[in-house]
Amino acid sequence: MNRLLLFFSLLIGKAALSQSVTLTLTHEVNHQAMRANKTYYTAQGDTFTITKFKYYLSNFSFTDELGQVLTLSPEYFLVSEDSIASKKIVLTGLPLGRFKAISFMIGVDSIMNCTGAQSGALDPVYGMFWTWNSGYIMAKLEGTSPASRLPGHALQFHIGGYRGAHQSQRIVQLPVPFEVSAEKTAAINLVADAGTWFNGPNPIRFSETAGFMTPGMIGDRIADNYSHMFSIKMK
Amino acid sequence: MNLKTTFVIMAFCLFLLGISFRGRGPGPGVTYVTLSLPDSLPKPAYDFSKNPLTKEGIALGRYLFYDPKLSRDSSVSCGFCHQQVAAFGHFDHALAHGVYGRLGKRSVPTLFNLIWQKDFMWDGGVNHLDVQPMSPIIAENEMDMPLNELVERLKCNEKYQQLFKAAYGTEEVTSQRMFKALVQFMATMISFDSRYDSVKRGAPGVAFTAEEAGGYTTFRQKCAGCHKEPFFTDFSARNNGLPYSPNMNDMGRMRITNNTGDYMKFKVPSLRNVLVSAPYMHDGRFFDIFQVFAMYDHGQEKGNTVDPLVRDMKLSPKEQRQLYMFLNTLTDKHFLKNEAYSEVMIED
């Protein structure tokens, strides 16, 4: 009996000691703060504004100083420019110690894309789910550009697709030293730069492509672009 | 350490587990329901462990199914298009139609034996029964109802507060609870009680007539490759040679896969209850089953995605007549009249 009690107190004790890390997200465009109605430029010279910017983050893992990878239990977060609360992510279940890198997925993994009706951040009421060709929209950017030939000069990029040739989930890995201790919560400041969506390896011209809302080649290219959107801001 | 203390600790752990799952599964005091299915059938594709059937869940789903409040102007319910007399297809309508008289682009598929189906819609674009109802609810030319507004609408409704509480233990309305309840009702729509089924299980005094038996032989030779028994579909998407219709511009599964190899491929529909669920094909172009036979006999389009199983098929007038007699044995009158599926009165 005593041994069993000891075992349980160890379990509980371990849970109490295991600490959290807080990720704070800041949205930028070409290294300037993201603001509604502000005009930005692509590297190709198109001007544009952003009215909607949201994306899923999931499948977090951490690399410790010895190079061992620690994967957290699955959790899904919907980050949205218009929600301050969504830009603070608290991850729990990390052991004490020093870490050197963080890794996560932009989007929702294929398993969760075919497991039926979900709740929480994955609730389809948030408008991040395709109903005609089931699957989550991994990331969404809407706005306007004078170069767009869509009605109202709209920009509408809904990037999704989780199977076959058109998989738009992207894994990001960022080196960042931090320590999980019993005394204070570790904090990591992440910057997501929306300018990367249209620059980078696959330049987008709004006169040709002002929107994309199916799984497909253009979505894959934009996902490749925005896989470089995150960086760490040191304080 | 003795057995008793171990038991107490285990019970405590289960209690903690119970707390963490609160609000997800069925509520307390529900009556669990087991579907009675013929033993010969394979295991359903739908995972009931994540949505256990309860009397209260099915009742909520049935109420939702027949409630026009699920559409923007409260004019169109699920049951509006999916009518029991037509095996939950749309009697006499070629194309689905929705709010404000808007017309859809495809015919209404029948609803039964859905728990064995792995993907849905004419093009197989929907990958799970849970998320299937989202499509017609959101579609502009069907119910045109944004999900977040629908959840708000149900939250403010007293009848739904009672129904959700009975099914899930709390009044909380979420899209997940709504979809799972709709599935609970649709899961009970099981049709395996036709004359064909009686003959197959050797019910006393039931046998095919000579014409029906002749039709069954033709069926097995020329149709069963795609319309596989016992479901009378193999659940795949195929091009049956139906000519492309320029005004509809619907290329079927190619829309989902972007693959030209899927040009004009549509889900193979079940032939169960086929004679009560006209019109036929993805665009409802045929109102009579003999038009369908004629298409296979001499009206097919050539093309490299046309399925080899139906290419150059011939159906003589005698074969057509006998096939008709056989298909008639697939009508499940008990299913079409079962009061458990019938329309419920929506009280407000």
Side-chain angles (χ1 to χ4, degrees), chain A:
Chain A
M1 180 61 210
N2 281 339
R3 255 195 275 166
L4 196 72
L5 268 183
L6 186 68
F7 173 68
F8 272 95
S9 59
L10 268 176
L11 263 185
I12 293 163
K14 182 87 174 163
L17 280 176
S18 121
Q19 295 295 307
S20 57
V21 55
T22 303
L23 306 177
T24 309
L25 287 133
T26 313
H27 294 161
E28 294 184 352
V29 189
N30 304 330
H31 308 295
Q32 304 165 46
M34 187 182 286
R35 296 274 178 269
N37 302 318
K38 189 170 159 58
T39 302
Y40 303 100
Y41 291 85
T42 66
Q44 294 69 253
D46 289 336
T47 61
F48 69 106
T49 66
I50 294 176
T51 53
K52 198 173 270 181
F53 183 62
K54 54 210 278 193
Y55 50 86
Y56 277 109
L57 295 183
S58 67
N59 291 272
F60 282 90
S61 68
F62 298 89
T63 311
D64 71 13
E65 278 199 320
L66 300 169
Q68 285 182 316
V69 177
L70 175 89
T71 303
L72 298 186
S73 55
E75 245 188 304
Y76 300 82
F77 302 92
L78 179 57
V79 183
S80 185
E81 166 60 10
D82 61 9
S83 158
I84 293 169
S86 78
K87 287 186 248 182
K88 192 168 182 175
I89 292 176
V90 181
L91 298 169
T92 52
L94 280 89
L96 298 177
R98 288 175 180 279
F99 293 85
K100 62 178 185 182
I102 172 175
S103 166
F104 53 84
M105 177 183 281
I106 311 176
V108 177
D109 49 83
S110 58
I111 294 171
M112 219 22 120
N113 265 294
C114 32
T115 332
Q118 304 301 324
S119 59
L122 294 175
D123 192 322
V125 294
Y126 299 116
M128 294 289 279
F129 191 82
W130 278 323
T131 59
W132 62 282
N133 186 359
S134 309
Y136 282 94
I137 296 169
M138 312 293 180
K140 190 185 249 191
L141 187 156
E142 292 182 8
T144 60
S145 168
S148 162
R149 292 179 188 164
L150 292 180
H153 298 293
L155 298 181
Q156 282 187 310
F157 293 96
H158 300 177
I159 309 305
Y162 67 93
R163 61 184 154 191
H166 301 297
Q167 302 189 17
S168 56
Q169 315 93 306
R170 292 291 180 273
I171 300 283
V172 175
Q173 188 160 33
L174 296 166
V176 53
F178 70 98
E179 185 179 2
V180 174
S181 73
E183 285 75 41
K184 72 184 203 7
T185 305
I188 297 175
N189 294 297
L190 276 173
V191 177
D193 195 315
T196 55
W197 281 51
F198 311 115
N199 305 332
N202 304 297
I204 302 293
R205 294 228 63 154
F206 297 140
S207 53
E208 293 158 10
T209 311
F212 199 72
M213 299 196 269
T214 63
M217 188 92 78
I218 292 167
D220 302 342
R221 286 180 182 156
I222 291 178
D224 285 342
N225 283 351
Y226 72 50
S227 67
H228 303 292
M229 81 171 156
F230 289 98
S231 59
I232 305 276
K233 188 161 77 183
M234 297 294 180
K235 278 205 166 159

Side-chain angles (χ1 to χ4, degrees), chain B residues 194 196 208 211-212 215-216 219 223 227 232 270-276 280 289-290 292-293 320-332:
Chain B
S194 63
Y196 158 87
F208 285 137
E211 289 277 81
E212 288 165 355
Y216 190 30
F219 166 81
C223 318
H227 296 284
F232 287 85
S270 173
L271 295 183
R272 287 181 174 273
N273 302 304
V274 68
L275 290 188
V276 298
Y280 306 110
I289 198 76
F290 281 90
V292 179
F293 297 155
Q320 293 189 24
R321 189 183 69 243
Q322 292 188 335
L323 258 185
Y324 173 85
M325 299 311 282
F326 171 67
L327 293 179
N328 200 33
T329 71
L330 295 177
T331 301
D332 179 350

Side-chain angles (χ1 to χ4, degrees), chain B residues 151-163:
Chain B
V151 169
E152 288 308 310
R153 188 180 280 187
L154 299 187
K155 262 182 198 168
C156 303
N157 183 291
E158 271 182 42
K159 178 73 181 176
Y160 279 111
Q161 288 165 8
Q162 294 162 20
L163 290 169

